[in-house]
């Protein structure tokens, strides 16, 4: 069992618990009127690179990233320094995240917020909408094509944007076939957790101009930012380097 399969197996157990309280949660999600435009935030009118800044406590590859961890403070710092959107890790077992982190972060800023998790069931999308998320992540490698199409439709029904994540050419074609309008190229192989920025360089050339394009993972230096920017992506998602202070949003803007 590879790392992604291990994570998905845990998610299936978590989803069983979500069935409790599903009705009230859905009604609250349906009653929301405070959605923020995640997709729109990633296409800056000045043509500059947008930043999705990630609130991230830990990861399986890096271990503990932030001992002092207050999601609202981190999100506010990102907003003050020029981020266009916030991503919040909500996976508990592997990333030490929590849905409460998303709720805390979103209440403290005016930016759109992405729920970063391993979404494999509509119940998770309803939960995200109820918690205040403006967007969710759909990982093509974790889903069958039917699941990808169905969950994309569920996101639209719940009025949240879907960032559809790919790592290979085949996954990119599946995302396009499913009608994705925001595509994230993950430079990290989720089976091995190896990172290679060349993945963005390779796949970005095959993505239509009307797609909002995001590069994710492994962006740690100003030189990395410049390399990815040359691929004409709309946005980058950066977590660990920002959390550790190795990279700043000001440095990204100057790259």
């Amino acid at each position: 069992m590879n790392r992604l399969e291990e994570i998905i197996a845990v998610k299936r157990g978590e989803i069983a618990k979500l069935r409790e309280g599903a009705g009230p949660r859905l009604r609250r999600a349906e009653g929301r009127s405070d959605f923020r435009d995640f997709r729109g935030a990633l296409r800056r009118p000045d043509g500059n690179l947008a930043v999705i800044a990630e609130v991230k406590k830990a990861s399986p590859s890096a271990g503990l990233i932030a001992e002092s961890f207050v999601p609202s403070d981190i999100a506010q710092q990102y907003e003050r320094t020029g981020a266009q959107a916030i991503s919040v890790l909500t996976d508990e077992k592997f990333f030490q995240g929590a849905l409460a982190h998303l709720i805390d972060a979103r209440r403290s800023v005016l930016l759109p917020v992405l729920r970063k998790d391993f979404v494999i069931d509509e119940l998770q999308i309803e939960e995200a909408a109820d918690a205040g998320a403006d967007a969710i992540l759909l990982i093509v490698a974790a889903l069958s094509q039917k699941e990808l199409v169905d969950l994309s439709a569920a996101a639209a029904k719940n009025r949240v944007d879907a960032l559809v994540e790919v790592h290979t050419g085949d996954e990119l074609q599946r995302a396009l076939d499913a009608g994705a309008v925001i595509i994230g190229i993950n430079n990290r192989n989720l089976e091995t957790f190896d990172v290679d920025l060349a993945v963005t360089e390779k796949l970005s050339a095959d993505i239509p101009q009307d797609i909002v394009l995001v590069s994710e993972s492994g962006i740690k230096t100003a030189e990395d930012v410049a390399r990815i920017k040359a691929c004409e992506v709309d946005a980058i998602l950066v977590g660990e380097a920002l959390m550790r202070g190795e990279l700043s949003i000001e440095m990204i803007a100057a790259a």
Side-chain angles (χ1 to χ4, degrees):
M1 182 181 292
N2 64 43
R3 183 60 62 85
L4 179 60
E5 290 170 338
E6 180 186 0
I7 292 171
I8 296 304
V10 170
K11 289 294 155 188
R12 296 198 188 285
E14 292 176 1
I15 287 162
K17 299 175 184 176
L18 280 182
R19 303 196 187 283
E20 302 173 13
R25 187 168 55 240
L26 177 58
R27 287 192 291 274
R28 289 193 301 268
E30 289 175 338
R32 271 188 67 189
S33 60
D34 63 342
F35 290 96
R36 302 168 187 169
D37 184 4
F38 179 78
R39 182 174 185 267
L42 304 186
R43 275 245 165 114
R44 297 179 61 178
D46 58 10
N48 288 332
L49 195 64
V51 178
I52 307 169
E54 190 154 87
V55 177
K56 182 177 185 179
K57 184 175 183 179
S59 76
S61 58
L64 183 66
I65 296 168
E67 290 188 16
S68 175
F69 185 78
V70 181
S72 58
D73 291 350
I74 298 165
Q76 287 172 355
Q77 173 67 12
Y78 287 156
E79 183 174 51
R80 280 194 303 271
T81 54
Q84 279 66 51
I86 304 292
S87 169
V88 182
L89 258 299
T90 61
D91 173 78
E92 295 186 22
K93 181 174 176 61
F94 298 94
F95 290 85
Q96 297 186 37
L99 203 62
H101 297 168
L102 184 146
I103 295 169
D104 186 28
R106 192 180 189 278
R107 285 175 177 169
S108 70
V109 298
L110 298 175
L111 301 176
V113 176
L114 166 74
R115 180 188 186 181
K116 186 93 173 288
D117 211 317
F118 297 82
V119 174
I120 58 173
D121 192 283
E122 184 172 353
L123 288 171
Q124 294 167 287
I125 298 176
E126 293 170 1
E127 180 185 47
D130 177 40
D134 304 292
I136 51 99
L137 180 71
L138 296 178
I139 302 171
V140 173
L143 303 168
S144 69
Q145 191 63 12
K146 183 179 186 305
E147 288 170 334
L148 178 59
V149 170
D150 289 349
L151 291 173
S152 297
K157 184 178 74 173
N158 283 277
R159 295 170 290 164
V160 295
D161 286 325
L163 172 59
V164 181
E165 182 179 287
V166 305
H167 181 72
T168 67
D170 287 344
E171 290 174 10
L172 171 58
Q173 189 57 55
R174 288 181 55 202
L176 293 171
D177 289 345
V181 295
I182 315 171
I183 291 179
I185 299 174
N186 193 347
N187 300 306
R188 187 183 304 279
N189 183 328
L190 291 178
E191 294 184 2
T192 64
F193 271 54
D194 293 335
V195 176
D196 186 356
L197 297 184
V199 176
T200 290
E201 293 172 328
K202 178 182 178 181
L203 296 184
S204 59
D206 297 324
I207 296 180
Q209 288 293 315
D210 60 331
I211 301 294
V212 173
L213 180 57
V214 182
S215 181
E216 311 168 32
S217 300
I219 302 167
K220 297 182 177 180
T221 66
E223 289 75 20
D224 291 340
V225 174
R227 182 177 171 186
I228 293 301
K229 190 175 182 180
C231 299
E232 298 186 353
V233 304
D234 296 290
I236 56 173
L237 190 154
V238 186
E240 184 180 337
L242 290 177
M243 292 293 302
R244 293 189 188 280
E246 299 166 348
L247 190 63
S248 69
I249 295 170
E250 295 93 337
M251 290 168 64
I252 292 170

